[in-house]
Amino acid sequence: MTTVPYPAFGILIVDDEPAWLRSLSLTLESSAGITNTFLCQDSREVLALLDKGGVGLVLLDLTMPGLSGEELLAAIAERHPDVTAIIISGVSQLDTAVRCMKLGAFDYYVKTDEEDRIVGGVLRAIRMQELRDENLAVKSRLVAGGPAHPEAFSGIVTRSRAMHAVFAYIEAVAASPQPLLVSGESGVGKENLVRAAHAISGRDGPLVAVNVAGLDDGVFADTLFGHVRGAYTGADAPRRGMIEEAAGGTLFLDEIGDLSVASQVKLLRLLQEGEYFPLGSDQPKRLRARVVVATHRDLAVDETEGRFRRDLYFRLRTHHVHIPALRERKEDIEPLLRHFLAEAAAAMGKPVPTAPPELAGCLAAYHFPGNIRELRAMVFDAVSLHAGRMLSMKTFLAAMDRVQPCPAPAPALNPFAPFEQLPTFAEAARFLVDEALSRSGGNQTLAARLLGISQPALSKRLKHAAKPS
């Protein structure tokens, strides 16, 4: 299994002393799991290396032959303002440190400083760079009006613009090594979104899901960290924990809001230190998976009322996405109804039944406390009892606790009413294409999906329409 380098961007260490270069590189790897480092002994090569791209952080010595650290710092600020620089000097001089900070250095350290202090500064710089990159990615995706890879979300049936904004955010932060918190009521499809995030993350390791609700502290620790032989009575063989199973991939902890306070402490230490100890072992192992958590609870309220640790809450919500409830995106009810009718009919070996005209409107007026999961259960129950061509309303009315049938639907608006005479087929097709592009925010892939045609077919139609008559 290939280990994903950390961080995602390169760290260039520049010093004319090869022994110090190797020492700092090994310290960063052993203390913080930082593996994506590049070493450079000749300061004159630095700018050419940065021109190639891929480097987000530079660690600079000050006194070097060729170009000095201060000269390099000024040149980096001018030519590569998106690259963060840290000075690690052999001398401690306050006036030099002030000059370097004015030139744009993120921080200034002396080589004789404690290793933990230098590593901590590098980790802070990495985090700042990641946040800057992720914010740019989020803005780019939201401005584009949708995800660049909608195929990753093809299993999620939706017309909602709010959901497409969620897709764009998930895509922007999918590759981040920082935790992701997915919140939303039960039944909104949080796990589907987590699977999509893993699919486009670029990680070649597996997605390992653990439901932590109801796990006591001992079971939680054993499940996540594993144990060595003889760790406790009955531990006759070593066992890999879920963290190790998810190495190189994503560890998904569902129902994180139900985690006990004692287990919250263990999870916080794991995220802070980036390492853990299997039960009964004194040899630490590195966390090499991205942690994603989900909950139906309001963690902000739980944190305020003391049921959830504040420090863990803020660490988990580094990236946070909230999935709106079904009642907040009623435009999704009709396509979900069609989807579940086809799914239920296929599962039961029946022809797809026709839904009564009033059913979609009746469902739209319902609160759906169980969200998409509840709608799916309604449809499967109705199809299991269905015998004729038209689906019966009785099962739905009973599930919604309605005694009276739903009111008859209002007559559909005629989209061609503004035309003095009926449009030609070409004009009608153009009208539909324009409407689909409007609803999808200009995203041709999503518009093609709304029209039920392929994206190349839509592109061909648009090119044809653009030709002068």
Side-chain angles (χ1 to χ4, degrees):
M1 180 184 296
T2 303
T3 301
V4 179
Y6 171 72
F9 52 82
I11 297 178
L12 182 64
I13 307 176
V14 187
D15 199 299
D16 60 322
E17 299 178 21
W20 169 253
L21 283 176
R22 289 194 299 271
S23 174
L24 181 56
S25 176
L26 290 172
T27 296
L28 293 175
E29 182 173 1
S30 61
S31 299
I34 297 172
T35 57
N36 206 5
T37 55
F38 304 93
L39 311 182
C40 178
Q41 288 181 237
D42 189 342
S43 59
R44 294 167 296 183
E45 298 177 358
V46 170
L47 293 176
L49 291 172
L50 294 181
D51 288 341
K52 294 179 180 179
V55 174
L57 175 61
V58 178
L59 309 182
L60 281 174
D61 184 23
L62 269 184
T63 308
M64 295 180 289
L67 289 174
S68 71
E70 285 191 53
E71 290 174 310
L72 268 178
L73 191 59
I76 291 171
E78 180 180 352
R79 288 174 54 172
H80 298 280
D82 55 330
V83 175
T84 304
I86 291 179
I87 298 295
I88 304 180
S89 173
V91 294
S92 176
Q93 296 177 342
L94 181 59
D95 57 340
T96 304
V98 171
R99 283 200 311 272
C100 289
M101 300 302 279
K102 286 183 177 179
L103 286 171
F106 177 79
D107 219 330
Y108 184 103
Y109 296 99
V110 180
K111 291 180 179 180
T112 54
D113 286 339
E114 293 182 359
E115 287 183 353
D116 289 348
R117 189 164 180 265
I118 296 175
V119 172
V122 171
L123 288 173
R124 285 192 296 275
I126 289 173
R127 183 70 197 114
M128 186 203 72
Q129 185 73 22
E130 287 175 341
L131 283 174
R132 186 161 59 192
D133 293 345
E134 289 155 13
N135 286 337
L136 289 174
V138 169
K139 288 179 181 178
S140 174
R141 292 271 34 93
L142 293 179
V143 168
H149 302 285
E151 67 278 0
F153 304 93
S154 59
I156 302 175
V157 178
T158 184
R159 288 178 180 168
S160 166
R161 290 189 179 184
M163 286 300 294
H164 288 302
V166 167
F167 295 167
Y169 181 85
I170 287 291
E171 185 177 68
V173 303
S176 169
Q178 298 299 321
L180 167 66
L181 168 62
V182 181
S183 63
E185 296 180 5
S186 293
V188 293
K190 296 186 288 293
E191 185 171 348
N192 288 338
L193 206 63
V194 172
R195 293 188 181 280
H198 173 71
I200 56 177
S201 67
R203 295 174 175 82
D204 54 8
L207 170 66
V208 175
V210 181
N211 190 318
V212 300
L215 297 184
D216 64 35
D217 188 50
V219 175
F220 172 79
D222 193 25
T223 300
L224 257 63
F225 307 143
H227 62 253
V228 298
R229 182 179 179 182
Y232 53 82
T233 302
D236 299 326
R239 176 182 176 275
R240 283 157 53 104
M242 294 297 100
I243 298 174
E244 192 170 356
E245 295 287 347
T250 302
L251 177 64
F252 172 39
L253 304 179
D254 200 6
E255 302 298 354
I256 196 68
D258 297 323
L259 195 63
S260 70
V261 174
S263 296
Q264 290 176 31
V265 174
K266 289 183 172 63
L267 179 58
L268 175 64
R269 188 177 299 121
L270 171 70
L271 296 175
Q272 285 179 333
E273 306 298 331
E275 64 181 25
Y276 63 97
F277 291 86
L279 300 185
S281 173
D282 57 2
Q283 295 297 318
K285 292 188 175 184
R286 296 295 307 174
L287 169 64
R288 301 197 181 279
R290 199 266 182 98
V291 175
V292 177
V293 300
T295 182
H296 69 281
R297 301 178 63 92
D298 188 336
L299 289 190
V301 172
D302 287 351
E303 179 271 317
T304 301
E305 297 178 355
R307 291 188 296 271
F308 202 86
R309 290 183 62 98
R310 172 173 295 185
D311 43 10
L312 178 59
Y313 169 64
F314 284 109
R315 185 165 291 271
L316 288 176
R317 65 157 296 151
T318 302
H319 303 303
H320 176 211
V321 64
H322 180 76
I323 306 178
L326 183 56
R327 60 183 169 276
E328 297 169 359
R329 44 187 174 107
K330 294 183 178 180
E331 64 271 31
D332 283 348
I333 291 177
E334 187 176 357
L336 283 167
L337 175 62
R338 291 199 306 269
H339 174 76
F340 290 141
L341 283 172
E343 183 183 346
M348 300 175 196
K350 295 183 175 184
V352 180
T354 301
E358 67 271 23
L359 178 57
C362 190
L363 293 172
Y366 180 57
H367 188 65
F368 277 107
N371 290 289
I372 297 172
R373 186 183 296 130
E374 183 181 7
L375 174 59
R376 183 179 185 275
M378 282 184 185
V379 173
F380 269 69
D381 190 32
V383 173
S384 67
L385 301 174
H386 171 67
R389 183 174 177 274
M390 181 71 73
L391 197 64
S392 171
M393 288 285 295
K394 289 182 180 180
T395 305
F396 291 97
L397 295 175
M400 293 185 287
D401 292 326
R402 291 188 67 103
V403 178
Q404 299 295 325
C406 298
L413 294 176
N414 179 7
F416 302 117
F419 296 92
E420 292 185 5
Q421 57 184 352
L422 286 177
T424 65
F425 280 112
E427 290 170 337
R430 181 67 203 183
F431 179 90
L432 290 172
V433 168
D434 290 342
E435 179 65 18
L437 288 170
S438 175
R439 292 190 183 190
S440 65
N443 187 307
Q444 291 189 20
T445 303
L446 298 178
R449 190 186 304 171
L450 290 175
L451 293 167
I453 61 177
S454 66
Q455 199 274 335
L458 175 61
S459 298
K460 183 178 180 181
R461 190 177 292 275
L462 289 171
K463 288 179 182 178
H464 178 74
K467 291 180 180 178
S469 54

